[in-house]
Each structure stands twice: as C-alpha cells, then as structure tokens.
Amino acid sequence: MPAPTVREKLAILADAAKYDASCASSGADRRDSLKSGGIGSTEATGICHAYAPDGRCISLLKILLTNFCIYDCAYCINRSSSNVKRARFTIDDVVTLTLDFYRRNYIEGLFLSSGVIRSPDETMAEMVEVGRRLRLDHAFAGYIHLKTIPEASQELIEQAGLYADRLSINVELPTDEGVQRLAPEKRPQTIRRSMAGLREKLDAAAEPTLRTKQRPRFAPGGQSTQMIVGADPTPDATILKTSARLYGSYRLRRVYYSAFSPIPDSSAALPSMKPPLMREHRLYQADWMMRFYGFEEREILAGRPDGMLDLAIDPKLAWALDHRAIFPVDVNRAPRELLLRVPGLGTKAVKRILASRIHRRLRLEDVGRVCQSIAAVRPFIVAEGWSPGGTIDSERLREAVAPRARQLELF
C-alpha cells in the first residue's frame, strides 16, 4: 500500500482537528518580520479571526500532528479503537505546510494538536521541534498555538513555551467523575499539575529579570483549556463552577466550550444526539459575564433550579429579569459595577458613559449612541428626562425585550 501523500495526510489530519475549539489567537505579541528578518507577522494585518458557519476559527492552519493515539477516550473520534483513517505528519511536513500556506496568505499562524503516539514525551518532543524549527530555522514570526500533552515531562512543556504564543491543556470534561468514566486512562490530577506548572512559568516570565530588566519570553498569550459539553449530564451550573475554579487557580486566558458531536461506533455511554449549539453559545456568554462584568458563577444561575442556562435569552438578560428590584439603574449616578449589570451595556459602552457624564447629565438618546440597541437597555435605566415607570414590574417585560422567534427557512 503506497504511503499517503502530504495532501492526503492534510485532508485526514485537518478534518480530525475540527473538533478542537480552542484555536482563537488573541493574546499574541505584536511582531513583524520586516523588523527582525524571516517570515510572518502578527502586526501588519494582525491575526484574523475568521469563523466557519459552526463558529469555529479557521484563520489558522489547524491540524493534528497525527491521529494515531494510544488512548481510548470514549468521546474522541481518534480513540485507539476507532476505525477512522489514520495518518501522521513528519516534522518537515508541518513546517513546510505552515510556511507555504503563510506565503499564500491562507493563514496567519499554526494551531497544532496531536494524538499520542508511543508515549506522551515522544509526541510532545516532535511538537516542540516543529515550533523550534519555525522560530529559529525559519525566523517565523506568525502565531503558534501548541496543544500540550499533560502527561509529557515538564521540561518539554517548558520548551514549548519558548516557541509558542499560547499553550493549552485540555481538561476534557467538566468533572473528574466524567473523565474517569469516559477517559479512564487520563488522570485529572496530572492535567491540573501540568496547568499549575504552566502557571508558575507564566508568572515567572511576567517579571523582568534583574540583569536584563526585560521579561523572558514564554507563551505570551498565556494558557487556555477546553472542555466538552453534552457528552455527560453535567449541568451548566457545574460547568461554570469548574470554569471559575480554573480561571482562579491557573489564571487561564480562556476556557473553551466544545459541544459534543456524536461519532461513529461510539460507546453506549454517550448520548446519541448532540446538544443544541445554542447551549455552547450561552455558556460563552455566561463565561463573559464572569470575566468582564463582575458576576460570580453562582449568581448567574441562581434563578434556575435545574442548573441550566435559559436557551431562549442571553444569561445577562435572564439575570436582570430575575433581579428586577435593583432596576432601573440611574446612568448618571450608578457605579461602574452596577452599570455592567444592565442588559445591553457592554464594557465599552459603560466606559463611554462614565467618561461622558463627567461633563453633563446623559439623556436616553446619549445612551443610545454608545450601545447597540437602546430598546434592550431602555426598560432597565433612568436617564435625564427618562424613566421607564412601571415597565420593570410588567409581567410582559420578558416578552418585550427577548429576541423575537423567527421562522426558519428550509431553502
């Protein structure tokens, strides 16, 4: 049987990588090879964020080094017992593809993950070598994200941080019980130990050295993780609790939520249907509330006895409808923390409100100029010359502010 060509391997290993959601490239340093020589830039045109119709980022060359794997995780298409077609890139294959695709302006960088071949250390060493050759042999200044293997040695993971903009380690599932049931060969404790080791290195790199007064370069985009949603019955409340713990304990830049996709010949322990994609979207919105709006994870779902986010409306609006007593908020007097809880007001809008009200009292039309939809904000605020009256207590408020249902088209 002839060996597969690089194009055939690319078809297999790019398709195998589509289940990985954690490929956003935010957090990269600004670099331009016009200044340093070599090839690539994260500065001139920046790292583009293009997304496929299902929301996945496609601006990076997103591939696996191999989809051979010694592990047999029930939810994974590449598990050892799967009948999928297998392929394996060489290090030269990945380096050449990255440089060629970059020169053709197809990509802005590389996202490289892998199944585990022979041993975690052997696989991780090959991924590190890809990063080393791109950075040192070809002076590649584009973006590199390496998905590290938690069971690999700490030395190899530290080397990966020298060449990558971002490192990530998957926690796989929201709970240890879920991992033990669906991926019994993996150890949640090992995953957390690797994330803790990365945090120590990132913290150390954040401080300038006494000798050079400069910060050593180590994964400037920080670390992220991904968890699969819907492969087990874990409710959203537990998922958000896990995310809050990960952000607090390991200073993650992002937690990515990947909706479970049914796979061929899957275990009977897995659901036959995938969860609604809207669930993934609502989790990202709730995650945003924790990171930028000052919400505690327990607040977000306090009004939901089933522990699940409302799929019909965004969680910030749902929270506001459950806590009407604190509204309406006076945009001319309320502190930033309270303004951030108003549905329809984001961080940029609040910043502009705070800057503008220093000079004058704001009217409703002034707020309308800094937010996307004054209709969404109006029932929850008081402004100069505007009060919502008894609207906030209306039984039909949810109906008035919730997005209207749309009839989907078949063609």
Side-chain angles (χ1 to χ4, degrees):
M1 185 176 176
T5 65
V6 170
R7 176 173 291 197
E8 290 168 336
K9 288 191 279 187
L10 181 60
I12 295 169
L13 295 172
D15 185 70
K18 70 183 179 185
Y19 299 96
D20 209 316
S22 56
C23 66
S25 54
S26 54
D29 276 350
R30 295 176 68 82
R31 292 189 303 274
D32 191 344
S33 56
L34 289 175
K35 301 171 185 173
S36 60
I39 183 174
S41 171
T42 60
E43 186 172 302
T45 55
I47 296 295
C48 300
H49 295 95
Y51 293 88
D54 64 352
R56 316 252 178 223
C57 177
I58 58 173
S59 62
L60 308 176
L61 172 59
K62 189 168 77 167
I63 53 175
L64 300 188
L65 183 65
T66 179
N67 65 343
F68 287 100
C69 193
I70 60 176
Y71 295 122
D72 198 41
C73 306
Y75 48 80
C76 182
I77 188 73
N78 301 312
R79 66 191 186 280
S80 60
S81 60
S82 173
N83 293 321
V84 296
K85 202 170 183 179
R86 306 281 180 173
R88 180 181 177 182
F89 278 131
T90 65
I91 295 170
D92 283 339
D93 288 339
V94 178
V95 171
T96 302
L97 276 172
T98 304
L99 297 175
D100 286 352
F101 276 34
Y102 195 92
R103 290 188 178 103
R104 289 178 171 86
N105 202 28
Y106 293 166
I107 60 167
E108 286 74 38
L110 169 69
F111 174 87
L112 184 63
S113 184
S114 184
V116 178
I117 39 174
R118 286 197 281 277
S119 75
D121 276 356
E122 182 163 339
T123 308
M124 194 67 232
E126 292 196 12
M127 297 174 72
V128 170
E129 181 61 11
V130 168
R132 191 198 68 78
R133 289 192 195 180
L134 283 171
R135 290 287 191 232
L136 302 187
D137 295 353
H138 299 279
F140 180 69
Y143 181 81
I144 297 177
H145 181 155
L146 296 180
K147 178 63 67 66
T148 60
I149 300 168
E151 294 82 6
S153 71
Q154 198 60 35
E155 290 76 15
L156 283 169
I157 293 177
E158 290 177 9
Q159 286 181 43
L162 300 177
Y163 310 119
D165 291 284
R166 174 169 284 185
L167 299 175
S168 54
I169 301 174
N170 283 358
V171 294
E172 306 292 345
L173 293 160
T175 65
D176 287 2
E177 294 75 20
V179 175
Q180 288 159 7
R181 190 167 67 90
L182 299 177
E185 295 152 321
K186 294 192 173 179
R187 299 283 178 271
Q189 301 88 339
T190 304
I191 295 170
R192 288 194 286 270
R193 192 178 308 124
S194 293
M195 295 173 79
L198 261 184
R199 176 186 169 169
E200 287 181 9
K201 289 294 298 181
L202 290 164
D203 286 349
E207 297 296 328
T209 63
L210 291 175
R211 187 173 64 84
T212 66
K213 310 299 182 189
Q214 293 181 340
R215 293 180 176 85
R217 188 186 189 285
F218 185 85
Q223 65 169 323
S224 59
T225 192
Q226 171 180 308
M227 65 177 79
I228 299 170
V229 173
D232 65 5
T234 305
D236 294 340
T238 304
I239 292 172
L240 292 178
K241 187 175 182 179
T242 299
S243 297
R245 178 171 51 79
L246 291 170
Y247 282 124
S249 300
Y250 308 110
R251 291 190 190 170
L252 299 185
R253 288 291 184 92
R254 287 290 300 275
V255 174
Y256 292 89
Y257 308 94
S258 177
F260 167 71
S261 296
I263 52 179
D265 305 318
S266 62
S267 163
L270 294 171
S272 58
M273 299 284 289
K274 62 181 178 183
L277 199 56
M278 184 56 75
R279 184 182 177 193
E280 185 182 283
H281 181 59
R282 296 298 182 217
L283 282 167
Y284 278 117
Q285 290 178 316
D287 186 282
W288 191 270
M289 289 168 67
M290 291 193 295
R291 291 191 295 138
F292 298 104
Y293 296 157
F295 283 84
E296 300 283 341
E297 48 84 16
R298 61 179 177 274
E299 290 181 274
I300 297 171
L301 279 157
R304 303 285 298 181
D306 61 352
M308 300 295 286
L309 292 165
D310 189 334
L311 297 183
I313 56 176
D314 79 70
K316 191 176 177 184
L317 175 58
W319 182 88
L321 292 173
D322 287 339
H323 296 80
R324 302 186 191 199
I326 73 166
F327 297 101
V329 168
D330 188 341
V331 295
N332 287 299
R333 301 178 62 184
R336 178 179 183 275
E337 294 75 17
L338 192 52
L339 288 173
L340 284 172
R341 298 197 168 218
V342 176
L345 292 184
T347 53
K348 289 182 180 177
V350 169
K351 185 177 180 180
R352 293 175 68 180
I353 287 171
L354 293 174
S356 299
R357 76 183 191 186
I358 295 174
H359 307 288
R360 59 192 171 88
R361 291 185 62 79
L362 302 181
R363 303 181 66 83
L364 188 62
E365 50 268 34
D366 297 323
V367 179
R369 281 192 281 271
V370 301
C371 67
Q372 289 193 349
S373 170
I374 191 61
V377 178
R378 189 163 42 203
F380 299 97
I381 63 169
V382 169
E384 183 72 13
W386 165 256
S387 170
T391 307
I392 195 67
D393 297 319
S394 169
E395 293 182 357
R396 306 192 66 176
L397 178 58
R398 176 185 170 114
E399 183 182 331
V401 295
R404 296 186 184 280
R406 288 189 301 118
Q407 175 65 52
L408 298 179
E409 297 180 358
L410 292 176
F411 305 100

